[in-house]
Amino acid sequence: WRDLLIYWLIADVVAAILYFAPLYLQQDIGLSLTAVGGLLLGGQILAFPMTLIAGKVANRIGQLKAIRWSLLVWAASIFGLVLAENIYHLIPVIVLLSFVLGSTQSLMRAHFGSRVHEMGSGESFGFFAIAQKSASIVSPALVLVTTLIFDGFQVAFFVLAILLCLAFFVSKYLPHPEKDVSAPTEA
């Protein structure tokens, strides 16, 4: 369950950023809908090759280290979003986000999949899906409450950055997939 909680925390923050970045870019930064669409499209186009590169990096340094590095990139990107004042400040942030946009979730799925025992795989992946999908409820509520209290998205994104830092620190408790966790242990 601890592992699912960590995956949920990461998925929750990533979902909130993806859901609310366009509104933030329009309302707080003042970008036009066309500029927001262009930035997001550019980020999505870059995300595909960057996800492939992240997979190669994970094969080299390990899935867990790659997940932790992606969390640091997410946190740095959030701080970049909060500090951005115009589109020129946002372009490097979008490029940075493209490195982790698809790779974070694929790395978490790969890490989880490498640890699931065959006999319990259906149940385990069901719980993983619930952890991922519940982010669609919890993260919007968190951002909504924070935005209403502080009248803007900047504080909400700062709270998300704090949650990412928390996820980074607790991710050290994720087991290494190289260890066979499905094998019975001897007493």
Side-chain angles (χ1 to χ4, degrees):
W1 290 99
R2 177 187 66 200
D3 303 350
L4 289 175
L5 181 64
I6 295 168
Y7 294 134
W8 173 80
L9 183 60
I10 295 167
D12 202 45
V13 173
V14 168
I17 296 166
L18 296 177
Y19 293 153
F20 292 102
L23 285 173
Y24 170 71
L25 295 176
Q26 277 187 292
Q27 292 178 5
D28 288 16
I29 306 262
L31 296 182
S32 69
L33 189 58
T34 305
V36 171
L39 282 172
L40 297 178
L41 179 63
Q44 288 290 336
I45 290 170
L46 281 174
F48 177 72
M50 296 306 174
T51 300
L52 298 175
I53 291 170
K56 292 189 181 296
V57 168
N59 288 339
R60 181 165 275 224
I61 67 171
Q63 292 171 347
L64 196 52
K65 283 184 182 177
I67 289 170
R68 295 187 86 216
W69 275 102
S70 74
L71 294 176
L72 290 176
V73 171
W74 276 104
S77 299
I78 290 175
F79 285 118
L81 280 174
V82 169
L83 297 174
E85 295 176 3
N86 58 48
I87 195 165
Y88 301 110
H89 296 153
L90 291 169
I91 291 172
V93 173
I94 297 297
V95 170
L96 195 60
L97 277 172
S98 71
F99 281 100
V100 293
L101 193 57
S103 61
T104 305
Q105 292 175 337
S106 66
L107 288 168
M108 286 192 318
R109 276 188 219 106
H111 182 267
F112 186 74
S114 67
R115 299 183 37 257
V116 175
H117 188 275
E118 284 185 31
M119 297 306 289
S121 63
E123 180 180 316
S124 298
F125 278 106
F127 285 125
F128 183 80
I130 289 170
Q132 297 285 305
K133 298 300 179 190
S134 70
S136 300
I137 298 168
V138 176
S139 60
L142 173 68
V143 171
L144 175 68
V145 168
T146 309
T147 303
L148 289 174
I149 291 171
F150 294 101
D151 195 32
F153 286 100
Q154 284 187 328
V155 174
F157 280 160
F158 184 72
V159 169
L160 294 175
I162 291 170
L163 289 176
L164 271 173
C165 291
L166 176 65
F168 175 81
F169 288 112
V170 298
S171 69
K172 71 181 180 180
Y173 297 107
L174 287 171
H176 291 278
E178 294 80 26
K179 297 176 183 173
D180 186 9
V181 294
S182 63
T185 57
E186 296 182 62

